[in-house]
Structure formats: C-alpha cells, structure tokens
C-alpha cells in the first residue's frame, strides 16, 4: 500500500495510534461483576433485538397484505437498514477487532437502500402518471423547461439523476473492499486522519459519493413534489436519512471528545470500549426509536384491502374500477421474501443508468 505512503510524503515512519489487537475486558467491573464490555453486549443486544422485532413486524404486516408487490418489496428492503445497522453495531461490540472489516459494509447497505428509495419514488410517480393519463389529464413530472423536445429532456434529466444515485452502490462496494484490504495491510488506521493512511482518503470519497446521491434524490423529489405529496415522501426520507445524519454527527462528536481527552481509557473502560464500544452502544440504542419511526413512515395500512370495498353494489354489479389487485403470496410465502431480497431491480437500474443508450 505504498500509494498511501506516497501521499504522506516523508511521513513513512508514521505509526497508527491504534493497537493491532484490542484488550476486551477492563481490569475493574463496570456494573456489579460485569465489565463494561459484557454490560454493553447485554444492553446493546437487547436494543438490537427490540429494533429487529419492530422491523420484522413491519415486514410481516406488508407480507400479510401484499397487494402492491412493486412498491412493497422496495419498502420491505428499505426497512432492512435498521436491522443491518443494529446487528453490525452489536457484532462490532462483541468482536471489536473485526469492527473495521464489518462496519465498512454498512455504507454499501445504505447505498442499496438509497437506490431502492429512489426506485420507490419512480414507482410512486409512475402510478400518478398512469392515473393522470387515465383521466386524460396531461402530467409533466419534470417541470424544468418548456422546450419542444421536453419529453427527451425529461428522460435525459431522469437518467442523470439515476446516474448520480446509482454511482453510490458502485463506489461503496469498492470502498468496502479497499477498506478491508488496507486494514489487513495495516495502512487504514481508523483513529488517524493523516494523509499517510487510507482512512482519510476513503472517508473523503465516501462522503462525496453519498452527498451526490442524496442531493440527486432530493432534487428528484423537489421536481415532483406535488405529485408525490400524497405518499408522504418527506417522512419516509427523513426516517431513512436520520440514520445517516445521526451516525455522521456522532462520529464527529466522539472524535472531538477523544481528541480533547474527555473520553479516555480508564480502569473500567478499555481502549476498545472508548473507540468502538460506546459509539456502537449509542447506535444500537437509537435504532429502537428509529425503528418505531420506520414502522410509522412505512406502515402497511395503505395496502390493506377492505372486503367491503369490493362487494357488489346495490344494483348487483361489481365496480370493475376498484377490483382488488392480485395477491402475490402471504407472510408464509417464500416468494414474498425472495422478491424483497432480490437485487434484480437495483442491478437493472445500475445497468440502465450507465448504459450508452
């Protein structure tokens, strides 16, 4: 990994302040006869279990009322971000020496979630367009110019937004692999922002890629705000972005606290407790209220079909305009869960975004 040594100029003798392996338990107990590490595992594990249970109930409710597969499989996939963050944070507490290797992949999970959210917006918009077309009312989903070639401009504008969004999964996948490689080569160094180490450069690339993708989603929503308002998109986006914003802000806060010696190892806290344990504890804890917000923002009630809506009318005929959509399974159907996990729509979106046509 001489590339990062080269960036550091003459600082080739710099060493990472982090130990190569962490001491797990502190000399003195934190609570009763439990070390902080053991206490953290119990408390964070309980928070992780609760957050995962809440999201699982959201998944089950959608699977039980699977009336719109195109939208609901995306919603179910988006809500997976909570369990992923919770479980990875919990595993980082249990195995602090593996933290860098596993937590780097939360960015990739986040990128897939953001891409899926973008696809959900396009799905919502397509429904609105279809309704407007059926009502013979022209709809202009991208109102940014009035040229004669507006339709072509709209498609080009959409594709540009798609490129900006789906570059993030590609970048985060590469960053995850490079992070693991540089960590194994001992040139990553989580606790150093020196140019000698890979951490600084990979963080910059990650933040830029994430910022570009998020701004593209915001612009897409802003251009179609009136059409998407009925789906409460801002609430859904807020529930998703709060995870990213909170973890980013907390990372900065913890770095400041450590740099000012407010958080330092003690007889009850090891280095790994301070660097990894406490930040991961905060993430596990905050996932509980965030899972509740997710459960509200992505609830299945709009997809529940009431039997009375499809009963014959007084004249004896059934309103064909409101016939129930086809059900694609139930909570016990493997197809429902496989559709949620299938990456086909994301892969198609990436191929479309970067195709020459």
């Amino acid at each position: 990994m001489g590339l990062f040594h080269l960036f550091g100029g003459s600082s080739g003798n710099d060493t990472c302040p982090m130990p190569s392996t962490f001491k797990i338990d502190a000399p003195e107990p934190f609570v009763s006869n439990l070390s902080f590490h053991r206490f953290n595992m119990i408390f964070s594990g309980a928070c992780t279990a609760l957050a995962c249970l809440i999201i699982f109930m959201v998944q089950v409710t959608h699977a039980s009322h699977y009336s719109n597969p195109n939208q609901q499989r995306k919603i179910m996939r988006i809500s997976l971000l909570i369990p992923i963050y919770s479980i990875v944070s919990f595993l980082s507490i249990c195995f602090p020496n593996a933290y860098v290797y596993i937590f780097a992949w939360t960015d990739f999970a986040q990128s897939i979630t953001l891409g899926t959210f973008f696809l959900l917006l396009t799905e919502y918009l397509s429904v609105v367009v279809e309704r407007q077309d059926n009502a013979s009312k022209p709809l202009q989903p991208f109102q940014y110019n009035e040229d004669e070639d507006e339709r072509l401009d709209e498609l080009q504008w959409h594709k540009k937004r798609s490129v900006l969004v789906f570059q993030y999964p590609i970048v985060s996948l590469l960053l995850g692999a490079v992070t693991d490689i540089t960590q194994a080569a001992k040139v990553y160094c989580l606790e150093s922002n020196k140019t000698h180490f890979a951490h600084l450069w990979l963080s910059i690339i990650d933040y830029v890629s994430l910022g570009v993708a998020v701004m593209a989603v915001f612009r897409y929503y802003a251009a179609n705000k009136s059409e998407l308002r009925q789906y409460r998109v801002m609430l859904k986006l807020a529930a998703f972005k709060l995870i990213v914003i909170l973890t980013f802000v907390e990372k900065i806060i913890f770095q400041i606290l450590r740099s000012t010696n407010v958080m330092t190892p003690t007889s009850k806290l090891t280095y790994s407790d301070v660097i990894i344990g406490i930040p991961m504890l905060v993430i596990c804890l905050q996932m509980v209220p965030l899972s509740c917000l997710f459960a509200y923002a992505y609830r299945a009630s709009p997809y529940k079909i009431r039997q009375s809506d499809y009963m014959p009318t007084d004249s004896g005929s059934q309103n064909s305009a409101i016939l129930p959509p086809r059900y694609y399974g139930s909570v016990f159907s493997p197809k429902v869960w496989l559709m949620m996990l299938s990456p086909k729509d994301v892969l198609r979106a990436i191929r479309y975004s970067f195709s020459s046509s």
Side-chain angles (χ1 to χ4, degrees):
M1 294 300 154
L3 174 63
F4 300 107
H5 293 184
L6 179 62
F7 284 133
S10 61
S11 58
N13 294 324
D14 286 353
T15 57
C16 181
M18 292 182 64
S20 56
T21 58
F22 291 116
K23 183 180 180 181
I24 303 299
D25 293 318
E28 296 182 13
F30 179 73
V31 176
S32 183
N33 61 342
L34 295 176
S35 67
F36 179 81
H37 180 254
R38 299 287 179 180
F39 167 80
N40 198 358
M41 289 175 60
I42 296 172
F43 186 79
S44 299
C47 292
T48 298
L50 180 56
C52 291
L53 178 61
I54 293 172
I55 294 301
F56 178 70
M57 294 308 299
V58 174
Q59 306 272 24
V60 167
T61 307
H62 276 282
S64 301
H65 302 86
Y66 207 54
S67 59
N68 192 324
N70 287 337
Q71 293 180 15
Q72 288 178 277
R73 70 168 178 261
K74 296 178 178 66
I75 290 174
M76 293 171 70
R77 187 186 305 148
I78 291 169
S79 62
L80 282 176
L81 189 62
I82 292 279
I84 290 173
Y85 258 97
S86 299
I87 294 172
V88 170
S89 298
F90 174 67
L91 291 176
S92 298
I93 294 170
C94 297
F95 310 103
N97 290 306
Y99 165 73
V100 173
Y101 293 103
I102 60 178
F103 200 79
W105 294 101
T106 57
D107 286 339
F108 180 63
Q110 178 179 277
S111 70
I112 297 298
T113 303
L114 184 61
T116 303
F117 184 83
F118 179 77
L119 293 178
L120 181 62
L121 294 187
T122 63
E123 181 67 29
Y124 286 154
L125 191 61
S126 68
V127 173
V128 176
V129 171
E130 183 178 1
R131 288 174 181 171
Q132 293 285 356
D133 289 343
N134 291 339
S136 301
K137 294 180 181 179
L139 176 68
Q140 298 177 351
F142 310 109
Q143 300 175 4
Y144 54 92
N145 68 54
E146 297 180 0
D147 297 336
E148 293 181 358
D149 297 330
E150 183 177 357
R151 178 57 181 167
L152 178 60
D153 290 338
E154 290 173 359
L155 293 175
Q156 292 175 344
W157 187 89
H158 176 274
K159 189 164 186 176
K160 287 179 181 178
R161 302 284 81 71
S162 184
V163 168
L164 295 177
V165 171
F166 287 103
Q167 53 78 29
Y168 186 37
I170 298 174
V171 171
S172 62
L173 176 62
L174 295 175
L175 289 180
V178 174
T179 296
D180 287 354
I181 293 171
T182 53
Q183 174 68 10
K186 303 186 186 304
V187 292
Y188 179 76
C189 194
L190 177 67
E191 279 300 289
S192 176
N193 286 323
K194 294 181 179 180
T195 57
H196 178 77
F197 298 108
H199 177 231
L200 173 65
W201 305 106
L202 298 182
S203 296
I204 291 174
I205 295 172
D206 179 50
Y207 294 151
V208 171
S209 179
L210 171 61
V212 168
V214 170
M215 289 306 300
V217 171
F218 272 120
R219 286 201 62 190
Y220 189 89
Y221 168 72
N224 305 279
K225 186 175 182 179
S226 60
E227 289 80 16
L228 295 172
R229 185 178 292 113
Q230 60 183 296
Y231 295 103
R232 296 197 276 190
V233 171
M234 280 306 297
L235 176 62
K236 291 179 170 63
L237 182 59
F240 163 67
K241 291 311 298 176
L242 271 176
I243 300 175
V244 182
I245 294 172
L246 288 174
T247 53
F248 176 74
V249 172
E250 288 160 5
K251 183 184 297 185
I252 295 175
I253 292 175
F254 283 121
Q255 284 183 340
I256 294 174
L257 292 176
R258 290 193 297 267
S259 64
T260 56
N261 293 325
V262 174
M263 290 180 59
T264 57
T266 66
S267 60
K268 295 184 178 182
L269 296 173
T270 64
Y271 188 84
S272 65
D273 292 333
V274 173
I275 301 299
I276 298 171
I278 294 176
M280 294 300 101
L281 168 62
V282 173
I283 291 178
C284 289
L285 179 61
Q286 71 190 17
M287 287 302 148
V288 175
L290 286 175
S291 65
C292 295
L293 179 59
F294 255 75
Y296 176 72
Y298 293 93
R299 59 191 181 276
S301 55
Y303 302 98
K304 293 181 179 180
I305 299 175
R306 296 176 300 177
Q307 186 67 27
S308 59
D309 291 340
Y310 309 104
M311 295 297 289
T313 61
D314 293 339
S315 60
S317 63
Q318 196 173 41
N319 189 344
S320 60
I322 58 172
L323 286 176
R326 176 187 174 189
Y327 267 56
Y328 283 71
S330 69
V331 66
F332 300 107
S333 172
K335 183 176 180 179
V336 174
W337 305 100
L338 290 175
M339 289 175 69
M340 173 189 69
L341 297 173
S342 174
K344 288 183 180 179
D345 52 355
V346 174
L347 293 176
R348 282 198 299 264
I350 293 175
R351 183 175 60 185
Y352 161 77
S353 301
F354 295 95
S355 63
S356 57
S357 59

